[in-house]
Amino acid sequence: MKSIFLQALLLPEAVLSASLHRRQSSSNTAVVDLSVNKGTPQHLASGFIYGIPDSPANPSQIPSTFFSDIGFNYGRAGGAQLNAPCRGWIWGLSEYQCRFQSALSNYKTTRQHGGNFILLPHDIWGTDHANSSTIWPGDSGSWTDYDKFVSQLISDILANDMETGLIWDVWNEADGSFWKRSQQQWIDLYIRTHKQIRYVIGLILDAKLTVRDSSTSAMSPTLISGPSHAGAPTPSNTWWTKWLAQIKGNSTIPDQYSWHLEGSISDVNDDLQTNNATFASMLTSAGLSQPKQVNINEYATFPEQVAAGAAWWISRLERYNAIGLRGNWLSGYELHDLMASLISKPNADSSSYSYTGTGYYPVGEWQVYKYYNQNMTGHRAGTTGSGDRVLDVYATVGSDQVRVLTGVRLATGTWYITINKLSAVGLPTSGSLNIHTWGFVDKGHYGEVDAPTDRGTVAHTYSGDSVTFAVYQTSQDEYTAWAFEFAV
């Protein structure tokens, strides 16, 4: 049965035009500008945190095509949520080694697929198994044990040839649940760690430790990221302002500024559209240069991890040239499996789940990332999201077609897309344009979806070098993402 979306697109042109004239506004319209060339796609959103099996599972048990088809390019892990005898540094050297081996395994898998890897030392240290008697780094002014930890970690990185493609994330979510001491003690940890890494790398390895800088084709020194806060940067957030005030004078500015966007979708601060401008202003106020790279190394809440949500987040990250890694809301061994809910397997949603089990299949979101990687080629066009922050688009101009990936952020209703400067891709400034629609349905976090659905082609009459059409996000397609294509 044809969806309501397609039925609406097939309305007589006069009726459709009248509806657009009556209902369209800047608040519900996303815009594509084909005259803008933002460079070659880098698939900035194709990373995820954890989600890769390691011992006692087979690190290669997920077929490689699940990684390659989506252009997987960033991993992030450190052995979290593993129990004895694998609880981390604070429980002894052998329990540290177990967590390090987990991280090393994930690193190797990530590199096998051409990705960079963000190391999570706070997990290797063992924050998830800390208790009331745990001595935290810097307690009573002592850093001796923490310095030993950092030295051991650096030594093991070098011994296992982990240097290439490695990003050291100094400490994750110190403003959240993974730090139990003061802001200043955490800032002291950050500065101390940053200097220790830079000193050892500079002294011992010099040019050997290299990682590809995502913004260029050249090689650059191994990267350090931070602060990786749970809270986005705002002038009222002292976890940010106090840290910014101290890193410049201590020469400990990270290579990648990082934070997380996993809050309420109604919060304007939990949106890169807001963060981008706010953070630029905060850097200026602190006397710091604008960042080489922003990395949202955890994005999207669990309810947002549906096809429509994936398209929305891809669009945001691409517009602001930010690297993004999907958050992972699973726990236990599932945290170390299922590619952060992009794939599933038999019994994954039941008590019969097996960490070592196979039979993997894609869920709806995976199909969005596959299209994003394999189909959206050429160069990126300019885009603007809807004024209400609910609809967003990512557009590319290929040698054969213009493609517009579209996502609505957990809402139903009617929105619009306007595509301007059609003449920039060789089309006439007026006429009729055949637009082909694909629907990326979603059947939940564990529901198999083997391909997008073909929603047909509709001819749209246009003028003024611009075409506008509606996106009908019905209850039947509430979690569906869309791709609109037309020939050039």
Side-chain angles (χ1 to χ4, degrees):
M1 186 176 73
K2 292 180 179 178
S3 72
I4 292 176
F5 177 87
L6 184 54
Q7 291 174 22
L9 285 181
L10 293 174
L11 286 171
E13 187 67 31
V15 175
L16 185 57
S17 297
S19 175
L20 291 175
H21 178 75
R22 186 169 58 250
R23 299 174 61 188
Q24 187 186 6
S25 69
S26 60
S27 68
N28 61 16
T29 303
V31 179
V32 176
D33 186 344
L34 297 179
S35 69
V36 175
N37 184 336
K38 296 188 65 179
T40 304
Q42 299 178 54
H43 310 109
L44 297 171
S46 294
F48 53 80
I49 179 172
Y50 283 97
I52 302 173
D54 52 78
S55 181
N58 181 349
S60 300
Q61 70 186 32
I62 296 177
S64 62
T65 54
F66 283 109
F67 293 93
S68 60
D69 283 359
I70 67 167
F72 172 65
N73 54 26
Y74 252 94
R76 185 171 185 254
Q81 296 191 26
L82 299 177
N83 296 320
C86 205
R87 293 172 293 180
W89 174 266
I90 60 175
W91 291 91
L93 184 60
S94 64
E95 300 216 26
Y96 154 85
Q97 288 291 354
C98 183
R99 288 213 167 184
F100 176 79
Q101 289 300 318
S102 173
L104 175 61
S105 177
N106 285 178
Y107 166 83
K108 289 180 177 179
T109 302
T110 300
R111 295 300 295 162
Q112 176 186 338
H113 296 289
N116 291 330
F117 185 79
I118 302 171
L119 187 67
L120 290 173
H122 84 288
D123 279 335
I124 299 176
W125 185 80
T127 55
D128 53 337
H129 284 287
N131 55 40
S132 59
S133 62
T134 298
I135 299 174
W136 288 75
D139 276 358
S140 302
S142 175
W143 295 93
T144 302
D145 188 67
Y146 179 72
D147 289 345
K148 288 180 181 178
F149 164 70
V150 173
S151 295
Q152 181 69 52
L153 188 51
I154 291 174
S155 176
D156 287 335
I157 287 169
L158 301 180
N160 288 277
D161 297 321
M162 259 180 99
E163 308 90 15
T164 303
L166 188 70
I167 295 90
W168 187 301
D169 200 17
V170 176
W171 198 274
N172 181 65
E173 292 191 353
D175 63 333
S177 57
F178 298 118
W179 183 251
K180 303 300 182 183
R181 296 299 187 259
S182 68
Q183 287 182 9
Q184 188 57 51
Q185 194 165 322
W186 161 73
I187 294 172
D188 292 343
L189 176 146
Y190 172 86
I191 292 171
R192 187 180 196 89
T193 307
H194 191 292
K195 289 184 175 182
Q196 188 172 354
I197 296 167
R198 283 285 183 252
Y199 174 77
V200 173
I201 290 174
L203 183 65
I204 299 177
L205 296 174
D206 195 17
K208 180 184 176 184
L209 279 181
T210 56
V211 61
R212 186 166 296 279
D213 186 331
S214 62
S215 64
T216 71
S217 61
M219 303 297 283
S220 62
T222 295
L223 306 182
I224 294 174
S225 63
S228 292
H229 281 333
T234 64
S236 62
N237 187 334
T238 56
W239 284 93
W240 276 95
T241 55
K242 290 183 179 180
W243 177 73
L244 288 173
Q246 295 184 52
I247 61 173
K248 180 182 179 181
N250 284 286
S251 300
T252 53
I253 299 168
D255 301 290
Q256 293 183 354
Y257 285 103
S258 57
W259 64 90
H260 300 166
L261 292 175
E262 298 174 305
S264 170
I265 63 175
S266 63
D267 183 359
V268 297
N269 291 316
D270 198 65
D271 185 341
L272 194 54
Q273 178 173 290
T274 303
N275 302 160
N276 189 62
T278 299
F279 188 52
S281 176
M282 290 173 65
L283 288 174
T284 299
S285 297
L288 293 164
S289 301
Q290 295 304 304
K292 296 177 183 177
Q293 185 65 65
V294 167
N295 191 327
I296 307 301
N297 57 32
E298 292 186 32
Y299 71 84
T301 63
F302 198 44
E304 287 183 282
Q305 290 186 342
V306 294
W312 188 93
W313 278 103
I314 287 169
S315 301
R316 274 303 202 256
L317 291 162
E318 287 287 347
R319 177 174 304 116
Y320 297 106
N321 295 312
I323 295 168
L325 284 78
R326 290 164 50 83
N328 193 331
W329 300 94
L330 303 178
S331 59
Y333 277 135
E334 279 199 342
L335 176 72
H336 296 252
D337 198 1
L338 308 181
M339 293 174 64
S341 298
L342 282 176
I343 61 175
S344 190
K345 61 185 179 182
N347 301 313
D349 59 344
S350 73
S351 59
S352 299
Y353 164 78
S354 170
Y355 183 36
T356 58
T358 56
Y360 291 96
Y361 54 81
V363 303
E365 273 193 290
W366 185 88
Q367 298 294 346
V368 175
Y369 285 90
K370 179 182 179 181
Y371 181 89
Y372 167 53
N373 175 53
Q374 294 189 347
N375 295 71
M376 304 199 75
T377 57
H379 69 260
R380 299 180 299 165
T383 61
T384 304
S386 64
D388 62 7
R389 303 187 307 110
V390 178
L391 173 74
D392 213 342
V393 292
Y394 170 59
T396 57
V397 179
S399 60
D400 57 342
Q401 290 187 322
V402 169
R403 294 176 172 88
V404 182
L405 183 63
T406 304
V408 173
R409 197 182 189 191
L410 298 185
T412 57
T414 302
W415 286 265
Y416 301 90
I417 297 173
T418 293
I419 303 177
N420 291 327
K421 302 296 182 181
L422 294 168
S423 60
V425 295
L427 295 174
T429 58
S430 63
S432 180
L433 185 64
N434 292 327
I435 299 179
H436 190 178
T437 302
W438 294 95
F440 297 83
V441 299
D442 196 281
K443 297 181 180 179
H445 296 115
Y446 299 97
E448 183 173 0
V449 178
D450 293 321
T453 57
D454 189 339
R455 304 299 179 98
T457 300
V458 175
H460 295 271
T461 300
Y462 70 95
S463 61
D465 210 13
S466 175
V467 65
T468 296
F469 53 92
V471 176
Y472 297 94
Q473 202 76 11
T474 68
S475 57
Q476 294 95 327
D477 278 315
E478 182 175 359
Y479 302 127
T480 300
W482 309 101
F484 303 102
E485 303 175 344
F486 56 88
V488 296

